[in-house]
Amino acid sequence: MQGDRSILGEAGERHLGLFGATTIGVGAIVGGGILALAGVAFSTAGPAALLAFALNGGIALLTAASFAELAKRFPQSGGTYTYAKRVLPIEAAFVVGWVVWFASIVAGVLYAIGFAVFAAEGAARLMTLLGIEAAWLGRGELRTGLALAATAFYTLGLARRVGGGGIGVTIGKVVVFAVLIVGGGFAALSAPLPLTERLDPLLPFGAGGVIAAMGYTFIALQGFDLIAAVGGEVRDPQRNIPRAMYFSIAIALAIYIPLLALIATVGAPPGGSITELADAHPESLVAVAAEQFLGVTGYWLVIGAGVLSMLSALRANLLGASRVAFTMARDRTLPRSLGAIRGASGTPALAVAVTAAMLAAVVLAIGDVSAAGAASSLIFLISFALVHWAAILARRRSGDRRFPTLPLFGGGLCLSLAAFQAVAVPPAGIVVVLWLGVGGLAYFTVLARGASLADATAEARDPDLARLRGRSPLVLVPIANPSSAAGLVGVAATVRTPGAGRVMLLSIVPLPESALGEEEEHPAWRDAETILSESLRRSFERATPTETLFTVASDPWSEITRVVRLHRCETVVLGAPSNLAEGGADGLERLIRVVDADVVLLRAARRWRIARVRRVLVPLGGRGQHSRLRARLLASLSRTEECEISFLRTVPPGTTPEDRRRAEREVRTLVRNEADGQFDVLIEEAEDPVEAIVRHAADSDLVVMGMVQRPGAGPLLGPRVRGVIRSSDTPLILIASRGARPMRPRRGGSPRK
């Protein structure tokens, strides 16, 4: 869809070179952060604010190294959340996305409040020059209103269209800073006193002041991560993405450190110190200091650059946060509706609106620049620590044996500074804890099921996903008849997780212990050899990595249970007993009730091959207990060639049109997370549901049904399943998901029949 492409930045071709990618980073870093937070830094650390910015630059470079490593392995758009999805379970990936989403929201809060401060400061100065009373412009309510108005303005714009960032704005900001540095340099050359006297004492508040200033101002160096977010648009990404990140941080530091040094020296008034000036003007220090060495022109240059920089950064973070929400919604880790595209504009209007509403709520809750800087720096430090963690996991699971020195060191620094910041600025820590708590509650009460289904589909289709997540799931295939080997091995090869899953062929020699000491070779040994030989031949045909296992046991069902537990199998693929419909399923039901594994049961003709399946019928009972296993199976069937999947729900005769439409909506809600691609929903009135299923099955290559009606009640094979087994010759796969059934039989009795 064109809308997806415009939102996610997948431009169809890689059109950004090194200069373009570096411009994105420089534009995102340079500007609003230092203008808004320089006063806080000097007020907290004194002249040692220069050291705080330099140390933050070192942490940023270490983080860029981890971003660069991930970008080399996954040269695609998306940034932190996309990387997390590749190496972490879906629950952990949700936490990363939730943190990154909030990080951009809180950064937007900083710039919305910063815009309000600079706009009000400039307006007050202008009105004072005109002789108009302007004290009311300093009221917090007015500044909050300006911040909300700017947020609303960009929300409406982004909901209608997604535009470019504007290289002109970036160049303009750099030019303004260059003018400030050059003007300050000339002022420094003509200063009568040794400039070093202005820096004494360098550490008026000790090392604690420096660390506190680092926590407040780390957000000023955030922005290089946006280069990774558009990695799919960068030419030669393995080379250009890392270099663009390093260059953008280096350019930012080359601007920040000289500018801060000039502010600390020639920016302080004669006889005063920069710390005192910062205490008096914490939010507009750079403008007031620039007036000291460039006159009123310097003041208005900073005010103008500040307003434009804050607005540009607000828009960028609002857009970036809405992109994260949009991507998460497509993965079902946020409500699906946030992934909707708005008409011809191709924008995720609801994602933008929800993001903006949350940004506005945080503006109302925080209200001042220093608190916003502390909260945004804290949340970005946490998100960058997660990037280091993802880099460590990606390195280890890709077979790279190098010790992850830089990611460990960088992650440790991010976490240490975040912990200090959370304690030093309790409101920032409280905001982050509350956000994580809300996220955890929302995920496990509302989002978990949809996210799990989408993730099961992704793992079934992506050959690298399970391996990068450190999973190597095992599919166990007990085979008792050589004629069933081809079908069972085919099903096992299909449900096997690509790239990482393994298949184990099990042949059980059904002998009592008393026969083990006999010298004469028992016929059961020869049968087992024949079974495994045929099974291995079929696995080679399917190019499936296979292990084999011979065991001896008097009770095959108990032996299968033992092997499943011993080898921690994820899935068991079985052939259906010939007398299944007539009640010959005691051992099977006992097995399904006690093993902690998904069970797939195949009933098919001897020469049937799953690779020939093109049309699949999925009758639904309405509860969706088997959704994750069914989603994995359906996605696996469509891995090489798309299948036509039809979901069938039967309703009683005489159902009203309204109830019929309601049933169709319910089915679509149930299955839209399971079917990756096109699917049909069939709602049919039928007095006998079995007859309707059998009739539709005649036009299908495969029927997929669940074995459990509901946990703890009723037989595993209900009357509907038994009726289909008796009345239809269409190949049938029955599934029992471990999450949809009791894991042990009732105490004091046998399993229900």
Side-chain angles (χ1 to χ4, degrees), residues 716-742:
L716 291 170
L717 296 182
R720 183 177 301 192
V721 174
R722 293 178 187 271
V724 172
I725 294 173
R726 292 191 192 99
S727 306
S728 174
D729 294 328
T730 302
L732 175 67
I733 285 182
L734 302 175
I735 57 176
S737 174
R738 53 184 154 183
R741 52 188 163 78

mmCIF file of all heavy atoms in Angstrom, residues 716-742:
data_model
loop_
_atom_site.group_PDB
_atom_site.id
_atom_site.type_symbol
_atom_site.label_atom_id
_atom_site.label_comp_id
_atom_site.label_asym_id
_atom_site.label_seq_id
_atom_site.Cartn_x
_atom_site.Cartn_y
_atom_site.Cartn_z
ATOM 1 N N LEU A 716 -11.908 -34.424 24.375
ATOM 2 C CA LEU A 716 -10.998 -33.744 23.466
ATOM 3 C C LEU A 716 -11.494 -33.815 22.037
ATOM 4 O O LEU A 716 -11.276 -32.897 21.243
ATOM 5 C CB LEU A 716 -9.598 -34.368 23.573
ATOM 6 C CG LEU A 716 -8.878 -34.092 24.892
ATOM 7 C CD1 LEU A 716 -7.622 -34.934 24.999
ATOM 8 C CD2 LEU A 716 -8.540 -32.622 25.014
ATOM 9 N N LEU A 717 -12.120 -34.912 21.669
ATOM 10 C CA LEU A 717 -12.713 -35.055 20.348
ATOM 11 C C LEU A 717 -14.227 -34.951 20.505
ATOM 12 O O LEU A 717 -14.889 -35.912 20.898
ATOM 13 C CB LEU A 717 -12.329 -36.393 19.719
ATOM 14 C CG LEU A 717 -10.838 -36.591 19.440
ATOM 15 C CD1 LEU A 717 -10.602 -37.933 18.784
ATOM 16 C CD2 LEU A 717 -10.294 -35.473 18.579
ATOM 17 N N GLY A 718 -14.765 -33.786 20.214
ATOM 18 C CA GLY A 718 -16.194 -33.581 20.353
ATOM 19 C C GLY A 718 -16.961 -34.230 19.221
ATOM 20 O O GLY A 718 -16.397 -34.748 18.258
ATOM 21 N N PRO A 719 -18.286 -34.195 19.309
ATOM 22 C CA PRO A 719 -19.113 -34.843 18.289
ATOM 23 C C PRO A 719 -18.928 -34.255 16.902
ATOM 24 O O PRO A 719 -19.035 -34.966 15.897
ATOM 25 C CB PRO A 719 -20.543 -34.626 18.814
ATOM 26 C CG PRO A 719 -20.447 -33.510 19.808
ATOM 27 C CD PRO A 719 -19.089 -33.625 20.406
ATOM 28 N N ARG A 720 -18.648 -32.945 16.820
ATOM 29 C CA ARG A 720 -18.441 -32.338 15.502
ATOM 30 C C ARG A 720 -17.200 -32.915 14.839
ATOM 31 O O ARG A 720 -17.219 -33.270 13.650
ATOM 32 C CB ARG A 720 -18.325 -30.818 15.645
ATOM 33 C CG ARG A 720 -18.175 -30.100 14.325
ATOM 34 C CD ARG A 720 -18.142 -28.595 14.493
ATOM 35 N NE ARG A 720 -19.355 -28.099 15.135
ATOM 36 C CZ ARG A 720 -19.697 -26.812 15.192
ATOM 37 N NH1 ARG A 720 -18.897 -25.902 14.661
ATOM 38 N NH2 ARG A 720 -20.801 -26.441 15.796
ATOM 39 N N VAL A 721 -16.100 -33.008 15.591
ATOM 40 C CA VAL A 721 -14.864 -33.560 15.027
ATOM 41 C C VAL A 721 -15.061 -35.022 14.649
ATOM 42 O O VAL A 721 -14.665 -35.462 13.557
ATOM 43 C CB VAL A 721 -13.707 -33.405 16.034
ATOM 44 C CG1 VAL A 721 -12.454 -34.103 15.511
ATOM 45 C CG2 VAL A 721 -13.418 -31.930 16.289
ATOM 46 N N ARG A 722 -15.680 -35.784 15.517
ATOM 47 C CA ARG A 722 -15.893 -37.201 15.220
ATOM 48 C C ARG A 722 -16.783 -37.367 13.984
ATOM 49 O O ARG A 722 -16.552 -38.243 13.151
ATOM 50 C CB ARG A 722 -16.530 -37.898 16.430
ATOM 51 C CG ARG A 722 -15.615 -37.991 17.642
ATOM 52 C CD ARG A 722 -16.340 -38.662 18.813
ATOM 53 N NE ARG A 722 -15.552 -38.616 20.034
ATOM 54 C CZ ARG A 722 -14.673 -39.543 20.383
ATOM 55 N NH1 ARG A 722 -14.484 -40.592 19.606
ATOM 56 N NH2 ARG A 722 -13.987 -39.432 21.502
ATOM 57 N N GLY A 723 -17.800 -36.500 13.850
ATOM 58 C CA GLY A 723 -18.667 -36.585 12.682
ATOM 59 C C GLY A 723 -17.924 -36.295 11.391
ATOM 60 O O GLY A 723 -18.140 -36.953 10.371
ATOM 61 N N VAL A 724 -17.029 -35.305 11.410
ATOM 62 C CA VAL A 724 -16.248 -34.986 10.212
ATOM 63 C C VAL A 724 -15.314 -36.144 9.873
ATOM 64 O O VAL A 724 -15.140 -36.498 8.699
ATOM 65 C CB VAL A 724 -15.463 -33.674 10.422
ATOM 66 C CG1 VAL A 724 -14.499 -33.429 9.260
ATOM 67 C CG2 VAL A 724 -16.420 -32.499 10.569
ATOM 68 N N ILE A 725 -14.717 -36.751 10.887
ATOM 69 C CA ILE A 725 -13.819 -37.887 10.637
ATOM 70 C C ILE A 725 -14.581 -39.024 9.962
ATOM 71 O O ILE A 725 -14.091 -39.649 9.011
ATOM 72 C CB ILE A 725 -13.185 -38.364 11.955
ATOM 73 C CG1 ILE A 725 -12.259 -37.286 12.516
ATOM 74 C CG2 ILE A 725 -12.410 -39.665 11.738
ATOM 75 C CD1 ILE A 725 -11.719 -37.605 13.895
ATOM 76 N N ARG A 726 -15.799 -39.278 10.410
ATOM 77 C CA ARG A 726 -16.578 -40.383 9.851
ATOM 78 C C ARG A 726 -17.065 -40.078 8.432
ATOM 79 O O ARG A 726 -17.109 -40.975 7.581
ATOM 80 C CB ARG A 726 -17.801 -40.664 10.736
ATOM 81 C CG ARG A 726 -17.512 -41.227 12.111
ATOM 82 C CD ARG A 726 -18.804 -41.703 12.766
ATOM 83 N NE ARG A 726 -18.615 -41.981 14.182
ATOM 84 C CZ ARG A 726 -18.933 -41.143 15.151
ATOM 85 N NH1 ARG A 726 -19.465 -39.966 14.851
ATOM 86 N NH2 ARG A 726 -18.732 -41.462 16.410
ATOM 87 N N SER A 727 -17.432 -38.815 8.163
ATOM 88 C CA SER A 727 -18.185 -38.504 6.949
ATOM 89 C C SER A 727 -17.352 -37.905 5.830
ATOM 90 O O SER A 727 -17.871 -37.753 4.715
ATOM 91 C CB SER A 727 -19.324 -37.529 7.296
ATOM 92 O OG SER A 727 -20.132 -38.038 8.335
ATOM 93 N N SER A 728 -16.129 -37.532 6.071
ATOM 94 C CA SER A 728 -15.332 -36.865 5.038
ATOM 95 C C SER A 728 -14.023 -37.615 4.806
ATOM 96 O O SER A 728 -13.385 -38.084 5.758
ATOM 97 C CB SER A 728 -15.027 -35.419 5.452
ATOM 98 O OG SER A 728 -14.147 -34.805 4.547
ATOM 99 N N ASP A 729 -13.640 -37.692 3.523
ATOM 100 C CA ASP A 729 -12.350 -38.289 3.164
ATOM 101 C C ASP A 729 -11.278 -37.224 2.945
ATOM 102 O O ASP A 729 -10.130 -37.568 2.642
ATOM 103 C CB ASP A 729 -12.505 -39.126 1.890
ATOM 104 C CG ASP A 729 -13.389 -40.341 2.106
ATOM 105 O OD1 ASP A 729 -13.382 -40.866 3.229
ATOM 106 O OD2 ASP A 729 -14.093 -40.744 1.154
ATOM 107 N N THR A 730 -11.638 -35.969 3.061
ATOM 108 C CA THR A 730 -10.657 -34.901 2.858
ATOM 109 C C THR A 730 -9.583 -34.982 3.940
ATOM 110 O O THR A 730 -9.903 -35.214 5.115
ATOM 111 C CB THR A 730 -11.347 -33.527 2.926
ATOM 112 O OG1 THR A 730 -12.379 -33.468 1.943
ATOM 113 C CG2 THR A 730 -10.349 -32.396 2.674
ATOM 114 N N PRO A 731 -8.329 -34.821 3.577
ATOM 115 C CA PRO A 731 -7.272 -34.830 4.598
ATOM 116 C C PRO A 731 -7.598 -33.857 5.730
ATOM 117 O O PRO A 731 -8.087 -32.742 5.506
ATOM 118 C CB PRO A 731 -6.027 -34.393 3.821
ATOM 119 C CG PRO A 731 -6.295 -34.852 2.425
ATOM 120 C CD PRO A 731 -7.771 -34.669 2.216
ATOM 121 N N LEU A 732 -7.307 -34.289 6.930
ATOM 122 C CA LEU A 732 -7.718 -33.551 8.120
ATOM 123 C C LEU A 732 -6.542 -33.400 9.071
ATOM 124 O O LEU A 732 -5.829 -34.366 9.353
ATOM 125 C CB LEU A 732 -8.860 -34.298 8.817
ATOM 126 C CG LEU A 732 -9.373 -33.751 10.150
ATOM 127 C CD1 LEU A 732 -10.045 -32.404 9.961
ATOM 128 C CD2 LEU A 732 -10.333 -34.753 10.781
ATOM 129 N N ILE A 733 -6.343 -32.181 9.547
ATOM 130 C CA ILE A 733 -5.366 -31.924 10.606
ATOM 131 C C ILE A 733 -6.132 -31.431 11.822
ATOM 132 O O ILE A 733 -6.876 -30.454 11.757
ATOM 133 C CB ILE A 733 -4.313 -30.893 10.178
ATOM 134 C CG1 ILE A 733 -3.312 -31.530 9.206
ATOM 135 C CG2 ILE A 733 -3.562 -30.351 11.389
ATOM 136 C CD1 ILE A 733 -2.208 -30.596 8.756
ATOM 137 N N LEU A 734 -5.966 -32.127 12.935
ATOM 138 C CA LEU A 734 -6.552 -31.735 14.207
ATOM 139 C C LEU A 734 -5.450 -31.166 15.090
ATOM 140 O O LEU A 734 -4.345 -31.712 15.145
ATOM 141 C CB LEU A 734 -7.205 -32.938 14.895
ATOM 142 C CG LEU A 734 -8.296 -33.654 14.093
ATOM 143 C CD1 LEU A 734 -8.779 -34.886 14.838
ATOM 144 C CD2 LEU A 734 -9.451 -32.715 13.804
ATOM 145 N N ILE A 735 -5.744 -30.071 15.769
ATOM 146 C CA ILE A 735 -4.719 -29.408 16.575
ATOM 147 C C ILE A 735 -5.205 -29.260 18.010
ATOM 148 O O ILE A 735 -6.392 -29.096 18.279
ATOM 149 C CB ILE A 735 -4.344 -28.022 16.000
ATOM 150 C CG1 ILE A 735 -5.579 -27.126 15.900
ATOM 151 C CG2 ILE A 735 -3.667 -28.162 14.644
ATOM 152 C CD1 ILE A 735 -5.272 -25.708 15.442
ATOM 153 N N ALA A 736 -4.267 -29.345 18.931
ATOM 154 C CA ALA A 736 -4.522 -29.097 20.347
ATOM 155 C C ALA A 736 -3.406 -28.204 20.864
ATOM 156 O O ALA A 736 -2.249 -28.630 20.942
ATOM 157 C CB ALA A 736 -4.580 -30.396 21.138
ATOM 158 N N SER A 737 -3.732 -26.967 21.169
ATOM 159 C CA SER A 737 -2.741 -26.014 21.648
ATOM 160 C C SER A 737 -2.566 -26.154 23.143
ATOM 161 O O SER A 737 -3.537 -26.297 23.884
ATOM 162 C CB SER A 737 -3.171 -24.589 21.300
ATOM 163 O OG SER A 737 -2.296 -23.653 21.870
ATOM 164 N N ARG A 738 -1.332 -26.108 23.590
ATOM 165 C CA ARG A 738 -1.069 -26.275 25.029
ATOM 166 C C ARG A 738 -1.680 -25.147 25.846
ATOM 167 O O ARG A 738 -1.898 -25.292 27.031
ATOM 168 C CB ARG A 738 0.430 -26.346 25.289
ATOM 169 C CG ARG A 738 1.221 -25.203 24.695
ATOM 170 C CD ARG A 738 2.696 -25.406 24.906
ATOM 171 N NE ARG A 738 3.482 -24.714 23.885
ATOM 172 C CZ ARG A 738 4.784 -24.783 23.802
ATOM 173 N NH1 ARG A 738 5.455 -25.509 24.664
ATOM 174 N NH2 ARG A 738 5.437 -24.154 22.855
ATOM 175 N N GLY A 739 -1.951 -24.008 25.211
ATOM 176 C CA GLY A 739 -2.562 -22.909 25.948
ATOM 177 C C GLY A 739 -4.073 -22.990 26.022
ATOM 178 O O GLY A 739 -4.707 -22.125 26.593
ATOM 179 N N ALA A 740 -4.678 -24.057 25.446
ATOM 180 C CA ALA A 740 -6.130 -24.115 25.367
ATOM 181 C C ALA A 740 -6.707 -25.338 26.039
ATOM 182 O O ALA A 740 -7.817 -25.728 25.781
ATOM 183 C CB ALA A 740 -6.550 -24.091 23.898
ATOM 184 N N ARG A 741 -5.932 -25.977 26.912
ATOM 185 C CA ARG A 741 -6.419 -27.214 27.515
ATOM 186 C C ARG A 741 -5.746 -27.421 28.859
ATOM 187 O O ARG A 741 -4.686 -26.859 29.134
ATOM 188 C CB ARG A 741 -6.106 -28.413 26.606
ATOM 189 C CG ARG A 741 -4.628 -28.462 26.217
ATOM 190 C CD ARG A 741 -4.379 -29.530 25.173
ATOM 191 N NE ARG A 741 -3.121 -29.327 24.519
ATOM 192 C CZ ARG A 741 -1.938 -29.636 25.018
ATOM 193 N NH1 ARG A 741 -1.854 -30.152 26.204
ATOM 194 N NH2 ARG A 741 -0.839 -29.421 24.338
ATOM 195 N N PRO A 742 -6.353 -28.229 29.709
ATOM 196 C CA PRO A 742 -5.712 -28.550 30.987
ATOM 197 C C PRO A 742 -4.475 -29.384 30.753
ATOM 198 O O PRO A 742 -4.416 -30.174 29.822
ATOM 199 C CB PRO A 742 -6.793 -29.344 31.730
ATOM 200 C CG PRO A 742 -7.661 -29.900 30.650
ATOM 201 C CD PRO A 742 -7.638 -28.901 29.531
#
